[in-house]
Amino acid sequence: MANFQFISLLLTTFFLFSLCTSRDTITLDAPLTYGDTLLSSGGVFTLGFFTSNNMKYLGIWYTQIIQQTVVWVANRDNPMLDSTGILSFNTNGSILQLQNGSAKVFWSTSPLNRVTTVAHLLETGNFVLMDNNTSIISWQSFDYPTDTLLPGLKVGLIMGQPRFLTSWTSSDNPSSSNYTIKLDSAGIPEYFILDRSKRVYRTGPWNGCQFSGEPEMETDSKLTFVFVSNPNETYYTFYVNDTSLISRLVLNQSFLQRYVSDGSGWTLYWSLPRDQCDNYAQCGPYGVCNLNSSNVPDCTCLAGFTPESEKQWDLRDTSAGCIRRTGLNCTSDGFIRISDVKLPETTNATVDSKVGLEDCRNRCLKNCSWTGYSNLDVSNGESSCMMWFSDLVDIRQFNGGGQILYYRVAGSDVPAASNAKKKERTKSSFELAWSLAHERDGVLDEGSRSQGNLSSLPLYDVNVIFAATNNFSPSNKLGEGGFGTVFMGELDGGNRIAVKRLGNFVNTRPR
Ligand SMILES: *[C@@H]1O[C@H](CO)[C@@H](O)[C@H](O)[C@H]1NC(C)=O
Ligand SMILES: *[C@@H]1O[C@H](CO)[C@@H](O)[C@H](O)[C@H]1NC(C)=O
Ligand SMILES: *[C@@H]1O[C@H](CO)[C@@H](O)[C@H](O)[C@H]1NC(C)=O
Ligand SMILES: *[C@@H]1O[C@H](CO)[C@@H](O)[C@H](O)[C@H]1NC(C)=O
Ligand SMILES: *[C@@H]1O[C@H](CO)[C@@H](O)[C@H](O)[C@H]1NC(C)=O
Ligand SMILES: *[C@@H]1O[C@H](CO)[C@@H](O)[C@H](O)[C@H]1NC(C)=O
Ligand SMILES: *[C@@H]1O[C@H](CO)[C@@H](O)[C@H](O)[C@H]1NC(C)=O
Ligand SMILES: *[C@@H]1O[C@H](CO)[C@@H](O)[C@H](O)[C@H]1NC(C)=O
Ligand SMILES: *[C@@H]1O[C@H](CO)[C@@H](O)[C@H](O)[C@H]1NC(C)=O
Ligand SMILES: *[C@@H]1O[C@H](CO)[C@@H](O)[C@H](O)[C@H]1NC(C)=O
Ligand SMILES: *[C@@H]1O[C@H](CO)[C@@H](O)[C@H](O)[C@H]1NC(C)=O
Ligand SMILES: *[C@@H]1O[C@H](CO)[C@@H](O)[C@H](O)[C@H]1NC(C)=O
């Protein structure tokens, strides 16, 4: 016992000692030589030289995690062979460079437009070059990510500059592999995992809470996910709100993985793509991928569509997808609804955040080029109209938690059953619009394979709805839709619901 205490005291002393003697900056007259390290002010990250597969690299890793986890590499594609590396400023402080003993440059920043005298390793893991007098940053490692997204690092498009992750070639070779995860900003932005230019996986668009293809990715009390899109920048990042937790996102070969740690080892939180239904366009245009209960992908065509080639389809070659049973004639087309889906590729889609779902449908009907519509921003009630003007590609259906898609078919392919349902709905003056708790729609589900059965839908007594919404109290009001006002309510069981009150309107239009 005494021995143990002595050893731990020794270790503590050693640790404190190393903290005291370590530094977090490089200056003009104090470069970093091989064997030296920088330690961020609170000790979370270390910058220094590491060896992998007998090659020497300059990188940043977590100080306290025993299994060395490198989050950034300067010279990933230009390793050094010997131990003579030195990281220093050039004479006037306009460039930071990594050289070996004979002044061969292995890595450098681009020439900076202002004299920089200090390089700091921050507690966030960001290595920044700044003007010591003004603290204005002239260069930062967060602008040149390797394979790891740390909290606060932005991946996407920043002032026109793409920022993306590229995985290591193998676990002991940091050199750039062919796999990247990049933002495609065409249409409605979404991220793709790419093998060179070939698409491997698509996250789906951000729906205000999460990416459409990742319904399990919910913000919890520990992690906050952020997606920002404005004319200057479109990016994703995250924050860890629990100080006892460490988390990183890494592109590991062709897999995007989130790891969490309490400071010792790492736990894999999730990994994407998670199954074959996540493979990009697994079932081709207008095909829907479902996993059967033994996790085997099963492609079906959207209702109103049929396999492009029955023969290929039977051989499980579903890449050509599906074609319409009946061509569109534009004047009498209708929409079929499918729920719990990952929304189709949005490269050729647009969004108008000021338009509700009903007007969205009308807009979509007016122009024969539009193939479908949906409500993108689920965090914001029914507002935000997204419409597609190309084939609908890469749809998968989840067992719950996805979104609702309305897609265009010839009027004659709209199932007769849904007309009957429509009539029934006109009689009802209350509509259970959706359950906030589950993001699931409680209304008629015309096209869904998994929930097409009307009898399985919950029916509520008007008095229950009155009680749940506090007699439609103005303080429960969530917003106005095309046909009435939406109120928030809470059922006895604690489930939060949203109720649309149709008021004096009688809903006679097909939906
Ligand atoms: C720093 O020196 C380089 C030549 O070594 C020169 O090209 C560059 O303009 C100088 N930069 C500044 C900001 O003075
Ligand atoms: C620096 O690197 C070059 C190229 O790899 C090599 O030829 C040279 O011997 C190295 N210098 C030292 C001092 O290791
Ligand atoms: C940077 O500024 C701090 C405080 O202002 C000072 O202590 C330090 O010596 C300066 N470093 C350099 C390289 O000028
Ligand atoms: C920073 O401030 C010091 C002292 O105030 C001054 O001598 C130096 O020129 C300044 N450096 C820059 C880059 O402005
Ligand atoms: C990238 O792909 C090309 C072509 O398939 C292949 O020749 C090359 O070896 C790949 N690179 C890596 C690092 O795997
Ligand atoms: C975009 O950048 C410009 C120039 O830096 C700035 O004036 C503007 O406020 C920025 N807009 C947004 C939405 O951040
Ligand atoms: C989590 O942290 C981020 C950034 O520090 C902050 O913006 C956000 O409000 C925090 N969220 C919670 C729930 O505390
Ligand atoms: C990549 O995944 C493997 C397991 O498949 C894991 O051992 C390794 O640590 C991961 N790499 C990173 C950088 O997290
Ligand atoms: C899933 O599909 C595979 C391949 O068609 C089939 O062999 C298996 O029996 C199916 N499992 C279930 C539970 O339907
Ligand atoms: C479209 O189809 C409907 C129903 O089949 C038919 O009544 C209508 O005349 C058609 N319109 C055109 C322009 O073909
Ligand atoms: C229909 O929408 C497409 C795609 O936005 C557009 O190119 C076309 O001009 C529109 N047609 C009409 C008649 O508005
Ligand atoms: C989107 O439009 C581009 C250019 O018209 C086309 O090459 C691409 O195939 C379209 N994407 C889809 C999913 O149809």
Side-chain angles (χ1 to χ4, degrees), residues 106-347:
F106 285 81
W107 172 85
S108 78
T109 63
S110 48
L112 309 167
N113 53 13
R114 61 170 59 238
V115 174
T116 309
T117 47
V118 202
H120 262 292
L121 178 61
L122 304 182
E123 268 290 89
T124 54
N126 195 5
F127 183 47
V128 301
L129 270 51
M130 59 165 75
D131 178 329
N132 197 31
N133 292 357
T134 61
S135 292
I136 292 176
I137 291 174
S138 50
W139 181 94
Q140 56 180 346
S141 62
F142 272 19
D143 284 343
Y144 303 89
T146 305
D147 64 340
T148 303
L149 178 63
L150 293 174
L153 192 158
K154 303 169 177 179
V155 286
L157 201 60
I158 311 292
M159 302 304 278
Q161 295 300 310
R163 278 196 210 156
F164 54 90
L165 307 179
T166 306
S167 58
W168 287 28
T169 294
S170 65
S171 61
D172 66 353
N173 183 354
S175 68
S176 305
S177 77
N178 286 332
Y179 296 114
T180 56
I181 179 160
K182 285 185 176 162
L183 179 80
D184 190 330
S185 57
I188 301 170
E190 38 185 8
Y191 291 85
F192 286 91
I193 296 176
L194 303 170
D195 178 356
R196 303 220 283 183
S197 59
K198 183 172 164 274
R199 289 167 170 182
V200 173
Y201 171 78
R202 182 179 67 94
T203 61
W206 184 259
N207 69 13
C209 298
Q210 63 220 170
F211 292 105
S212 172
E214 299 171 22
E216 71 271 69
M217 183 187 104
E218 282 172 7
T219 289
D220 52 34
S221 56
K222 292 178 173 158
L223 301 175
T224 306
F225 306 107
V226 179
F227 181 76
V228 171
S229 189
N230 67 44
N232 292 346
E233 47 184 19
T234 302
Y235 66 81
Y236 166 79
T237 192
F238 74 97
Y239 295 98
V240 181
N241 292 88
D242 179 340
T243 49
S244 66
L245 199 71
I246 301 171
S247 182
R248 69 190 159 98
L249 200 63
V250 62
L251 188 66
N252 189 345
Q253 301 305 307
S254 61
F255 292 94
L256 184 66
Q257 300 178 330
R258 177 173 292 286
Y259 286 91
V260 293
S261 173
D262 59 4
S264 47
W266 292 105
T267 307
L268 181 61
Y269 212 53
W270 50 250
S271 181
L272 296 167
R274 73 210 102 182
D275 54 50
Q276 280 190 69
C277 274
D278 270 347
N279 293 348
Y280 175 72
Q282 172 78 17
C283 299
Y286 303 104
V288 183
C289 197
N290 275 283
L291 281 190
N292 78 4
S293 48
S294 24
N295 281 348
V296 175
D298 179 28
C299 286
T300 50
C301 291
L302 287 171
F305 290 79
T306 181
E308 202 260 349
S309 157
E310 291 282 359
K311 206 170 138 197
Q312 294 303 105
W313 198 266
D314 289 346
L315 294 172
R316 293 192 168 269
D317 176 3
T318 50
S319 55
C322 309
I323 51 171
R324 295 182 183 283
R325 282 185 197 281
T326 316
L328 299 173
N329 87 355
C330 298
T331 55
S332 72
D333 298 345
F335 292 98
I336 298 183
R337 171 195 146 118
I338 178 168
S339 63
D340 287 331
V341 296
K342 170 179 180 177
L343 294 176
E345 183 186 329
T346 56
T347 315

Side-chain angles (χ1 to χ4, degrees), residues 9 48 125 131 174 282 396 443 502:
L9 184 70
D131 178 329
Q282 172 78 17
R396 78 170 290 176
V443 297
L502 301 174

Side-chain angles (χ1 to χ4, degrees), residues 366-370 389:
K366 281 197 186 107
N367 182 334
C368 207
S369 314
W370 301 103
F389 53 90

